[in-house]
């Protein structure tokens, strides 16, 4: 059977049918079963089927240039208009925007917003063209973008946001549904980044009322903000939307413990961006986080510790945390054996703040940290303990005696100098060197 790349579809189909007739005739004419002919028949049928499908594909037919997506170069199925007036196929322009681009691919104009408006005129024209050429075009409800979002679900999204400005009953139903959708479907999280007004609509029930907000409504809205902040492209948008950070800070102090915990988790997630760390600190989030840590509710502890650690990476927030009582709250929890490993990491981070080091010395941190080094099996916790002790040792000579007595009795620091992590060994050897020099000076005197 002659077959080349350049054969037109009709010629290929004719050749395949002839080959199929020959094979069937061969199978029927032989007494024995011709396995080779049966296998070839199956392959020929599959090739004929593929050719049939291709003949019904829109991509095998030339179509008007205005129907072509500038990004995919393919026939558009869900044409939408960018604010520059250019039309693109929805999944491809969404992919462009979700990659962090904020310009029009065709004109390179900077976008004032990323709202996508359906181009009904072009869509109707494409539908008519497909009908005239015998091509079956999927309905918009069935047409999914690259993240699995149907046009019908967009309508649900818009409807739910509209209900956030309705009665309390409607608000509660809509907030619960948005919470569930943004938890289960990443595409719903991405939708909030396409509309300039989506997040303000979401938080409107919390920002409008000066009276007590229904606790379930508050919890669902705060949790939805948490879900949104997981989406990388939303982090800057969520944090910089007016009232969002203040509402999260307020939620740290009020509402159910689930609300307070999720507010802390949202601040932690948003703080992945350094610019957000600054913003969160300026809005006064450190104090309520420290207060929530001090309360010690087990539901919130891990989220609070994570948020404090991330926020205190920048110097301004370290100073705020120390001023707001973080050192005392952290040490109390460590002494109570609560989330020791996580809280030691925060304490080590705060130890380059002079006021924090002074507080640690006054609050008995030296003895506490030495006990942990002896008792814990966690290498990272030992490292954080000795790092803090190293700083205290260099800042407060009155603590040398406690360190020297510990070394004489247990050899704690020497053991860590031999068996700790690389950083722990450096810090332990630094303390030992300091202690030895102090002894030598005493003997010389």
């Amino acid at each position: 059977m002659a077959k080349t790349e350049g054969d037109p579809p009709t010629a290929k189909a004719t050749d395949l049918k002839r080959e199929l007739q020959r094979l069937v005739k061969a199978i029927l004419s032989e007494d024995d079963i011709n396995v080779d002919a049966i296998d070839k028949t199956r392959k020929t049928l599959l090739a004929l089927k593929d050719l049939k499908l291709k003949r019904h594909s829109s991509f095998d037919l030339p179509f008007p240039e205005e129907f072509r997506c500038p990004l995919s170069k393919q026939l558009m199925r869900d044409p939408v208009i960018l604010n520059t007036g250019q039309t693109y196929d929805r999944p491809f322009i969404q992919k462009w925007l979700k990659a962090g681009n904020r310009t029009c691919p065709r004109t390179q104009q900077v976008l004032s917003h990323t709202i996508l408006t359906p181009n009904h005129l072009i869509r109707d024209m494409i539908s008519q063209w497909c009908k005239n050429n015998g091509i079956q075009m999927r309905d918009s409800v069935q047409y999914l973008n690259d993240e699995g979002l149907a046009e019908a679900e967009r309508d649900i999204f818009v409807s739910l946001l509209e209900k956030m400005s309705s009665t309390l009953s409607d608000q509660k139903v809509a907030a619960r549904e948005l919470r569930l959708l943004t938890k289960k479907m990443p595409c719903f999280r991405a939708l909030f980044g396409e509309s300039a007004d989506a997040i303000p609509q979401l938080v409107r029930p919390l920002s409008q009322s000066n009276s007590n907000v229904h606790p379930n409504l508050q919890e669902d809205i705060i949790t939805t903000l948490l879900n949104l902040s997981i989406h990388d492209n939303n982090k800057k948008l969520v944090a910089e939307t007016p009232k969002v950070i203040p509402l999260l800070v307020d939620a740290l102090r009020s509402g159910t413990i689930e609300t307070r915990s999720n507010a802390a988790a949202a601040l932690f997630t948003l703080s992945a961006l350094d610019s957000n760390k600054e913003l969160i600190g300026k809005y006064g989030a450190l104090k309520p986080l420290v207060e929530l840590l001090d309360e010690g509710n087990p539901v919130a502890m891990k989220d609070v510790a994570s948020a404090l650690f991330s926020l205190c990476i920048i110097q301004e927030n370290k100073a705020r945390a120390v001023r707001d009582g973080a050192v005392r709250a952290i040490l109390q929890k460590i002494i109570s054996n609560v989330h020791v490993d996580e809280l030691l990491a925060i304490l080590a981070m705060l130890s380059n703040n002079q006021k924090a080091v002074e507080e640690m010395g006054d609050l008995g941190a030296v003895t506490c940290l030495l006990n942990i080094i002896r008792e814990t099996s966690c290498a990272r916790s030992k490292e954080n303990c000795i790092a803090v002790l190293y700083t205290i040792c260099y800042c407060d000579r009155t603590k040398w005696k406690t360190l020297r007595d510990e070394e004489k009795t247990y050899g704690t620091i020497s053991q860590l100098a031999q068996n700790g992590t690389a950083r722990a060994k450096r810090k332990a050897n630094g303390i030992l060197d300091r202690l030895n020099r102090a002894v030598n000076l005493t003997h010389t005197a």
Side-chain angles (χ1 to χ4, degrees):
M1 177 177 64
K3 189 165 69 171
T4 65
E5 282 287 319
D7 287 343
T10 304
K12 286 184 181 180
T14 302
D15 286 344
L16 286 170
K17 288 177 181 178
R18 286 174 182 169
E19 178 69 3
L20 189 60
Q21 287 176 338
R22 187 186 67 77
L23 289 168
V24 172
K25 186 176 180 181
I27 293 170
L28 295 175
S29 64
E30 294 182 16
D31 294 332
D32 197 10
I33 297 174
N34 189 332
V35 176
D36 184 55
I38 292 173
D39 188 51
K40 288 180 179 178
T41 300
R42 183 179 64 82
K43 290 179 180 178
T44 304
L45 283 168
L46 289 173
L48 193 61
K49 180 182 178 181
D50 288 343
L51 188 62
K52 180 74 171 177
L53 291 173
K54 285 182 180 179
R55 286 178 64 186
H56 284 81
S57 170
S58 61
F59 304 115
D60 285 344
L61 291 174
F63 50 83
E65 189 62 28
E66 61 266 30
F67 296 172
R68 187 187 305 275
C69 174
L71 290 172
S72 70
K73 309 302 181 186
Q74 298 173 357
L75 181 71
M76 291 186 284
R77 300 297 185 115
D78 189 2
V80 292
I81 306 171
L82 213 51
N83 78 317
T84 57
Q86 300 296 318
T87 296
Y88 299 89
D89 205 2
R90 187 186 294 276
F92 296 97
I93 190 61
Q94 282 182 329
K95 188 174 182 180
W96 168 268
L97 295 172
K98 287 166 190 172
N101 298 299
R102 286 298 177 266
T103 58
C104 175
R106 175 173 273 179
T107 68
Q108 298 305 308
Q109 288 177 258
V110 176
L111 303 175
S112 59
H113 62 77
T114 57
I115 299 172
L116 303 176
T117 306
N119 191 330
H120 296 295
L121 176 61
I122 290 294
R123 178 172 175 79
D124 290 344
M125 292 170 65
I126 292 173
S127 298
Q128 188 60 49
W129 179 85
C130 289
K131 183 178 180 181
N132 293 341
N133 287 276
I135 296 168
Q136 187 174 14
M137 188 177 180
R138 287 170 290 181
D139 294 334
S140 61
V141 173
Q142 298 172 322
Y143 180 54
L144 304 180
N145 66 20
D146 59 333
E147 288 189 310
L149 186 66
E151 191 66 31
E153 289 163 333
R154 291 178 179 279
D155 295 337
I156 293 172
F157 172 72
V158 172
S159 174
L160 291 173
L161 285 179
E162 288 174 350
K163 288 182 179 179
M164 298 304 288
S165 300
S166 184
T167 64
L168 176 60
S169 177
D170 282 346
Q171 289 174 354
K172 288 166 63 178
V173 171
R176 169 59 60 160
E177 188 65 20
L178 285 168
R179 173 181 178 172
L180 295 175
L181 288 171
T182 52
K183 176 184 178 181
K184 295 176 182 177
M185 301 176 67
C187 47
F188 265 91
R189 298 174 208 152
L191 272 179
F192 277 86
E194 296 178 13
S195 170
D197 197 42
I199 296 175
Q201 280 183 281
L202 171 69
V203 301
R204 187 166 291 144
L206 302 185
S207 56
Q208 277 185 332
S209 176
N210 293 322
S211 58
N212 291 331
V213 179
H214 192 283
N216 292 345
L217 177 61
Q218 183 191 31
E219 181 180 319
D220 287 336
I221 292 174
I222 294 299
T223 307
T224 301
L225 287 173
L226 166 60
N227 295 341
L228 296 183
S229 65
I230 293 170
H231 193 80
D232 284 344
N233 287 342
N234 283 344
K235 293 186 191 302
K236 187 175 179 63
L237 175 66
V238 171
E240 293 184 357
T241 298
K243 297 186 179 180
V244 167
I245 299 300
L247 287 172
L248 289 173
V249 172
D250 287 344
L252 290 172
R253 296 189 175 98
S254 63
T256 66
I257 189 59
E258 187 76 22
T259 299
R260 301 172 74 194
S261 177
N262 288 344
L267 291 172
F268 164 64
T269 307
L270 292 172
S271 67
L273 299 182
D274 284 346
S275 60
N276 287 352
K277 288 183 179 71
E278 286 186 49
L279 198 60
I280 293 167
K282 287 178 181 177
Y283 275 114
L286 276 301
K287 186 172 180 59
L289 281 170
V290 170
E291 290 171 350
L292 189 51
L293 175 72
D294 199 31
E295 287 180 28
N297 192 299
V299 173
M301 286 294 290
K302 193 170 185 63
D303 291 321
V304 171
S306 298
L308 283 171
F309 180 86
S310 181
L311 290 169
C312 288
I313 288 174
I314 64 172
Q315 291 297 330
E316 297 92 331
N317 286 339
K318 287 180 187 177
R320 292 182 178 112
V322 173
R323 181 195 64 208
D324 293 331
V327 173
R328 179 180 295 276
I330 289 170
L331 277 174
Q332 286 177 346
K333 291 295 172 289
I334 290 174
I335 292 170
S336 301
N337 203 31
V338 176
H339 287 280
V340 173
D341 297 337
E342 293 91 338
L343 295 178
L344 280 172
I346 303 173
L347 203 64
M349 187 177 291
L350 295 177
S351 65
N352 66 359
N353 179 282
Q354 181 64 35
K355 188 169 184 285
V357 175
E358 292 171 3
E359 277 194 59
M360 291 176 201
D362 294 342
L363 294 170
V366 172
T367 302
C368 171
L369 296 172
L370 288 170
N371 289 340
I372 292 172
I373 293 174
R374 273 189 273 111
E375 296 170 3
T376 187
S377 59
C378 177
R380 181 64 65 186
S381 289
K382 289 177 185 284
E383 178 184 311
N384 285 326
C385 284
I386 201 69
V388 175
L389 288 170
Y390 177 87
T391 306
I392 294 175
C393 173
Y394 271 76
C395 294
D396 187 352
R397 294 179 60 181
T398 66
K399 307 303 177 189
W400 290 1
K401 183 180 185 306
T402 304
L403 293 167
R404 192 162 48 243
D405 291 346
E406 174 77 19
E407 183 60 19
K408 284 181 181 178
T409 306
Y410 301 104
T412 303
I413 302 170
S414 295
Q415 290 178 33
L416 197 56
Q418 294 176 359
N419 305 318
T421 64
R423 180 170 176 248
K425 288 178 181 179
R426 288 197 308 273
K427 298 296 183 181
N429 279 313
I431 291 175
L432 291 173
D433 181 61
R434 188 80 172 180
L435 292 176
N436 288 334
R437 277 191 287 151
V439 171
N440 291 335
L441 285 171
T442 303
H443 288 166
T444 302

